[in-house]
């Protein structure tokens, strides 16, 4: 458990997780609440399962983009949230975006969005998987608490 929560106190983790979480939170709110023109929970589940996605995978995508984003912003369960982002982006690449190439559809001349955004999100998430949540994180607080209990037992 200690390794799961362990993090450094550098700014890098804080900046990376807050920005990644801030980008994913609106997507999660689209899927859960229908905010920002989204389908809401039932519409999202219907859409995703209609694409052939098992309902449990669709549910994990919704949870990963909403609860995972909140986890990243607060630095709580950062590695789990980052893993979820990697899995979601990998699935999005394979299921939808790889056929449109690398570049985003900046000028509206492609039939869809390429994979560059997904790769950037995955890169940020991988950095959090390796380095942890960084400064001002719930994970850091938990890790210090666990370390204190370990130190107490060693006496």
């Amino acid at each position: 458990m200690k390794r799961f929560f362990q993090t450094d106190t550098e700014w890098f983790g804080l900046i990376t997780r807050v920005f990644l979480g801030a980008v994913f939170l609106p997507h999660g709110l689209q899927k859960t609440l229908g905010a920002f023109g989204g389908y809401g929970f039932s519409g999202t589940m219907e859409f995703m399962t209609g694409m052939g996605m098992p309902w449990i995978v669709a549910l994990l995508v919704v949870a990963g983009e909403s609860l995972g984003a909140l986890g990243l912003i607060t630095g709580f369960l950062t590695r789990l949230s980052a893993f979820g982002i990697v899995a979601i982006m990998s699935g999005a690449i394979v299921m939808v975006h790889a056929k449109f190439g690398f570049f985003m559809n900046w000028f509206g001349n492609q039939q869809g969005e390429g994979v560059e955004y997904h790769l950037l999100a995955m890169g940020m998430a991988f950095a959090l998987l390796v380095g942890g949540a960084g400064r001002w994180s719930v994970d850091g607080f938990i890790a210090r608490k666990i370390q204190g209990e370990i130190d107490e037992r060693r006496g």
Side-chain angles (χ1 to χ4, degrees):
M1 261 326 226
K2 178 184 166 194
R3 177 81 176 119
F4 181 75
F5 290 106
Q6 188 173 358
T7 186
D8 57 30
T9 58
E10 298 300 320
W11 290 98
F12 175 79
L14 169 70
I15 293 166
T16 304
R17 70 179 163 79
V18 168
F19 274 85
L20 186 60
V23 167
F24 270 89
L25 185 58
H27 292 277
L29 294 174
Q30 286 180 315
K31 290 172 177 64
T32 55
L33 304 177
F36 308 108
Y39 296 131
F41 181 76
S42 60
T44 298
M45 291 297 289
E46 186 177 318
F47 175 76
M48 289 184 172
T49 56
M51 290 175 44
M53 191 180 294
W55 72 268
I56 190 70
V57 175
L59 182 64
L60 289 171
V61 169
V62 172
E65 287 192 14
S66 52
L67 298 175
L70 292 173
L72 289 173
I73 291 167
T74 61
F76 180 59
L77 300 175
T78 302
R79 286 186 169 92
L80 178 63
S81 299
F83 177 79
I85 297 300
V86 169
I88 291 166
M89 292 293 96
S90 297
I93 287 172
V94 170
M95 292 184 70
V96 179
H97 298 281
K99 64 185 171 196
F100 300 115
F102 179 76
F103 294 102
M104 296 293 292
N105 192 11
W106 295 110
F107 304 108
N109 55 5
Q110 296 172 196
Q111 291 185 349
E113 302 290 346
V115 300
E116 67 179 320
Y117 161 79
H118 307 83
L119 294 174
L120 282 171
M122 288 171 68
M124 293 174 76
F126 275 123
L128 293 168
L129 277 168
V130 171
R135 187 175 290 235
W136 298 342
S137 66
V138 175
D139 289 353
F141 174 79
I142 292 170
R144 288 188 300 278
K145 193 88 163 139
I146 291 170
Q147 185 61 50
E149 289 173 8
I150 292 169
D151 292 345
E152 259 181 38
R153 287 187 196 137
R154 290 185 183 158

